Amino acid sequence: MSSDEKPKIRLGKRAKGKLSPAQAKAAAKNAALAKERESAIQELRNQKYPGGKPPAGGAGDEQLSNRAKFRQTPIDPKILERIRAERVCNQMGQAMRFAQRDVAQRAEAEKEKSFKGFARPPMYRDLPQHIVDMVGERRKDKLTFVAGALRMDQMPPEGLPEVCFCGRSNVGKSSLINAVTLSTTVRSSDKPGMTQQFNFYQLPRRLMVVDLPGYGFAFADPHKMEGWRLLMDAYNGQRKALKRAFVVIDARHGLKQNDVEFLNRLERSKTSFQVILTKCDLVKEDDLARRHTLVLDHLQGYSKALKTIRMLSAYTGAGLKELAQDLYSLSLK
């Protein structure tokens, strides 16, 4: 694209037709950002290639464009400060040193090694009592499996407030549920597509937690995939106890096309949702701040999206305390 050409803005189904004031404002902002980024990209092309274009048949132009679009995203100082304060980009070695920085914490961590009921991430400590009460201290008070469902009539009766976790296959939904509830109840696997039904779990007398099948798994049966999509639409639209859908996004990759399509489904079904950027321990601080900005910009066009994005690591435990507080607040509704 030459420097004097206007960037094309693709509009999804939700954005076609008359735009709301919020959507119009977001579209104008995105257009301005796109124009600014294209200008910066062209400058990089001029520096790398004579005449501003790569050799014919080369793939450098596309690669440079994708890289430059991300690198040219401005870093919000407040977001960067929050990332550093919450230590969400700390790798496990740093997390362990921070979590065991005094004798009492080291003793507590050593004591928990002999208990097989859960594995606490190192930075998921010093929890307020109401969070401890919610996730349960005794085994009988921990997260328990209630039912698996492939149809609406197989789902358990509504009663407790309900939240669901959704996202692409292998993004780490099951591991995240286990980490935040300090349990090992939810089955997790490195193999994509292991969750193939709606799995209902309960924090006793508190909250129903639903682990949804991952979307976007290329090797799943096409008929099953279509059945999941229809069931998700029915679940999101008809489950009155559902208070919020947590959409789990890999912080390394950001929003993919499947993610955007799922957000559109949630918006059409008028389901309140919140984005979680996970695996932040695998991302540099500056890159995470850029990813946060891009995702937040995209969310401006959704009326049902919470504009607070959670950033965390289920592996190190950074950011889990804030998610647990969200769950506690929803359990009171």
Side-chain angles (χ1 to χ4, degrees):
M1 179 182 291
S2 62
S3 58
D4 57 346
E5 289 180 344
K6 294 182 178 179
K8 296 180 179 180
I9 307 299
R10 295 183 62 184
L11 300 177
K13 293 181 179 180
R14 172 187 52 76
K16 291 182 178 179
K18 187 176 181 181
L19 299 178
S20 68
Q23 290 172 326
K25 183 178 179 180
K29 181 179 179 181
N30 289 339
L33 286 172
K35 187 173 182 180
E36 181 180 347
R37 289 169 190 159
E38 283 299 331
S39 177
I41 291 168
Q42 188 59 44
E43 290 182 12
L44 291 174
R45 289 188 185 131
N46 291 336
Q47 294 173 11
K48 188 173 181 67
Y49 304 111
K53 294 183 179 181
D61 182 60
E62 181 181 353
Q63 295 174 357
L64 178 63
S65 297
N66 292 335
R67 190 182 308 116
K69 284 181 179 179
F70 182 71
R71 293 299 177 193
Q72 290 300 317
T73 302
I75 297 176
D76 187 331
K78 292 183 178 180
I79 296 301
L80 187 59
E81 181 181 359
R82 175 185 156 197
I83 289 170
R84 290 171 176 169
E86 296 178 4
R87 300 176 180 269
V88 292
C89 292
N90 280 16
Q91 296 183 350
M92 181 55 82
Q94 296 170 299
M96 291 288 290
R97 288 192 292 273
F98 178 77
Q100 300 180 22
R101 59 192 180 279
D102 61 45
V103 176
Q105 290 168 324
R106 287 195 294 272
E108 182 186 8
E110 193 65 29
K111 180 181 179 181
E112 287 180 352
K113 286 183 180 179
S114 62
F115 180 66
K116 304 301 182 181
F118 66 87
R120 185 195 298 271
M123 294 184 69
Y124 190 36
R125 297 182 180 277
D126 303 322
L127 302 181
Q129 189 58 45
H130 64 274
I131 299 297
V132 175
D133 293 340
M134 179 184 71
V135 300
E137 291 186 279
R138 297 174 297 179
R139 189 181 296 272
K140 68 176 185 177
D141 295 327
K142 305 296 289 182
L143 189 76
T144 56
F145 177 73
V146 177
L150 290 172
R151 303 191 310 269
M152 289 294 293
D153 59 6
Q154 294 177 336
M155 296 182 183
E158 298 185 56
L160 293 174
E162 191 167 298
V163 298
C164 68
F165 286 80
C166 42
R168 288 174 57 84
S169 296
N170 212 33
V171 76
K173 303 181 300 297
S174 302
S175 298
L176 176 56
I177 296 172
N178 277 334
V180 75
T181 60
L182 292 178
S183 74
T184 56
T185 304
V186 183
R187 182 185 179 190
S188 61
S189 171
D190 292 333
K191 181 181 178 181
M194 286 301 294
T195 304
Q196 298 195 5
Q197 61 181 0
F198 283 52
N199 289 325
F200 288 78
Y201 301 88
Q202 179 179 301
L203 287 169
R205 303 176 301 282
R206 295 277 186 171
L207 188 69
M208 189 77 76
V209 180
V210 189
D211 186 13
L212 301 189
Y215 51 81
F217 180 45
F219 301 108
D221 184 279
H223 297 291
K224 287 186 178 180
M225 292 290 289
E226 180 60 24
W228 291 341
R229 284 192 287 267
L230 294 173
L231 185 58
M232 283 180 181
D233 287 343
Y235 171 76
N236 292 329
Q238 299 176 27
R239 195 77 175 175
K240 295 181 180 179
L242 180 61
K243 302 302 180 183
R244 185 176 303 172
F246 290 99
V247 185
V248 184
I249 304 295
D250 192 323
R252 297 171 296 177
H253 309 305
L255 291 172
K256 298 291 188 180
Q257 184 59 37
N258 285 333
D259 297 313
V260 174
E261 291 173 359
F262 192 77
L263 296 184
N264 292 341
R265 286 176 177 270
L266 292 173
E267 180 76 5
R268 287 196 297 269
S269 65
K270 302 187 185 305
T271 302
S272 173
F273 65 90
Q274 184 173 13
V275 169
I276 296 174
L277 291 175
T278 190
K279 302 185 180 180
C280 293
D281 57 302
L282 303 178
V283 184
K284 295 180 179 179
E285 292 176 347
D286 288 357
D287 288 346
L288 181 58
R290 292 187 179 99
R291 187 70 67 199
H292 183 283
T293 297
L294 291 174
V295 174
L296 185 59
D297 284 349
H298 184 83
L299 293 180
Q300 298 308 313
Y302 294 89
S303 63
K304 304 304 293 184
L306 274 73
K307 302 308 186 289
T308 299
I309 299 172
R310 293 294 176 214
M311 297 176 288
L312 53 80
S313 166
Y315 186 47
T316 68
L320 285 182
K321 192 181 295 185
E322 290 73 17
L323 176 60
Q325 182 59 50
D326 290 338
L327 295 179
Y328 176 76
S329 299
L330 292 167
S331 72
L332 302 177
K333 294 185 176 181

